[in-house]
Amino acid sequence: MVDSTSSMNSTEYEQLTKILVERIAERAPVTTTRLEHNVVLPGRASAHQIDVLWEFTVESGQSHRVVFECRRTGRSLEQNDALAFKGVVEEVGYESMPTTGVMVHVTGFQKGSRKIAETYGLIILEMRTPTDKDVEGRLMKIRISATGRVPVVKDWHVDAFELLSDDLKAPVMNHAVEIEEPGGHRVSMLNLLQENEIAPLSEPLTPLHRVTRRFDPPAVLLVSGQPAAKVRAISATVGEELADPFDLTVGGRERLAWMMKDVLGGERAWFTADGKTHLTES
């Protein structure tokens, strides 16, 4: 469900709340036991309809319940709205399971509703499509343009005095070639030819140049792990070339779908359309 919160009806807004709570639950260090939309819970005096119910256990095994009331109106919520919901939380929280009430609104809580929330431990959230003001001054997009430098080993030549197989008579991939020294130590031909020949990244590109490695006594050249020849020397053109440039963009204003803001604390949760969740302190 990706849509502007201003165009949703009440049911869609409640369902969106459940979806976003599910995302938060996945990140939280708790075990969710129940997460449902449109639930009726028994109370001291009567049953109450709950827009979204989240029940979970913490590591100690203690169970907790969070009840959400979702409002999508064109006005700010007032003191009486918060008082009414406070009564519902107390009604359904009479059992042994600790219960927290959360009021969710598109925008706007008057001073009286904030005071009730602060006094009685209600959580009040603004949940909506982010506005330009919400993202003002925030880093939203990183664009990276880069050109890589690629090690090159080409035009290699083998001074072989004894062939041990026919593998060298056909094209051979560089990474398939190894050198086995008399003591049995094996090293990749690429590593052997590039050793101490490629400049660090902090220095300019290494120009192409001829490199020769000699073996006395002779070494065994291996192709795909199998002996192919006994060699006195191996040489190749070694250096660096520039790779094709590439551009990478990370983030972007258009990726943000929804935002939850703690009205009293200021913390925010940002939700992207592709399922990611990011938390900020303000």
Side-chain angles (χ1 to χ4, degrees):
M1 180 189 299
V2 179
D3 195 4
S4 170
T5 47
S6 63
S7 65
M8 292 180 177
N9 60 37
S10 296
T11 300
E12 290 171 335
Y13 191 66
E14 294 167 10
Q15 291 170 337
L16 173 61
T17 300
K18 176 179 177 290
I19 290 171
L20 299 188
V21 172
E22 286 174 346
R23 293 200 195 175
I24 293 173
E26 290 172 356
R27 296 172 57 105
V30 300
T31 301
T32 297
T33 55
R34 188 179 184 187
L35 182 48
E36 297 179 21
H37 166 245
N38 192 18
V39 176
V40 175
L41 290 180
R44 282 187 177 93
S46 62
H48 294 270
Q49 186 272 334
I50 304 299
D51 294 335
V52 178
L53 171 68
W54 180 23
E55 294 180 354
F56 57 86
T57 58
V58 297
E59 188 175 353
S60 65
Q62 174 67 52
S63 297
H64 291 263
R65 170 189 289 158
V66 184
V67 293
F68 294 81
E69 177 166 318
C70 306
R71 298 287 191 93
R72 200 201 65 78
T73 67
R75 63 173 180 85
S76 296
L77 297 189
E78 303 172 353
Q79 178 175 320
N80 286 340
D81 297 312
L83 277 173
F85 183 54
K86 165 187 169 291
V88 171
V89 176
E90 292 176 346
E91 268 279 290
V92 301
Y94 71 96
E95 297 176 324
S96 59
M97 186 183 299
T99 300
T100 301
V102 181
M103 295 192 77
V104 182
H105 185 34
V106 174
T107 186
F109 289 85
Q110 293 186 4
K111 183 178 179 179
S113 63
R114 292 170 183 248
K115 185 63 176 177
I116 294 298
E118 193 171 23
T119 301
Y120 294 101
L122 298 179
I123 297 173
I124 51 178
L125 301 177
E126 290 184 2
M127 190 188 77
R128 61 175 184 271
T129 306
T131 65
D132 290 340
K133 184 177 180 180
D134 290 323
V135 301
E136 184 178 357
R138 298 178 185 274
L139 178 62
M140 298 300 301
K141 181 184 295 186
I142 299 175
R143 179 171 294 157
I144 302 170
S145 296
T147 301
R149 45 197 290 177
V150 181
V152 174
V153 176
K154 63 181 181 179
D155 303 329
W156 54 285
H157 173 76
V158 175
D159 179 8
F161 69 92
E162 182 181 353
L163 289 178
L164 303 177
S165 74
D166 294 330
D167 288 343
L168 291 179
K169 294 181 181 180
V172 177
M173 300 294 292
N174 286 355
H175 61 77
V177 181
E178 296 177 292
I179 294 295
E180 183 177 89
E181 298 175 344
H185 175 67
R186 291 186 181 187
V187 60
S188 161
M189 183 199 71
L190 291 176
N191 292 341
L192 182 68
L193 291 168
Q194 292 179 78
E195 185 178 6
N196 299 322
E197 300 293 338
I198 303 296
L201 292 177
S202 58
E203 298 182 9
L205 208 67
T206 304
L208 295 177
H209 59 288
R210 201 69 183 169
V211 173
T212 299
R213 304 292 189 228
R214 303 185 185 281
F215 310 101
D216 186 18
V220 176
L221 183 145
L222 307 172
V223 176
S224 299
Q226 300 301 315
K230 291 184 178 181
V231 298
R232 300 186 183 92
I234 187 167
S235 61
T237 298
V238 178
E240 292 179 294
E241 295 178 346
L242 291 177
D244 293 335
F246 69 91
D247 293 314
L248 175 66
T249 299
V250 180
R253 170 74 173 85
E254 64 280 359
R255 294 180 66 244
L256 282 181
W258 308 285
M259 178 199 72
M260 274 188 182
K261 175 186 174 182
D262 184 338
V263 176
L264 298 179
E267 298 86 352
R268 302 187 192 220
W270 307 86
F271 304 91
T272 64
D274 57 358
K276 304 244 181 350
T277 303
H278 306 278
L279 305 178
T280 61
E281 293 183 357
S282 61

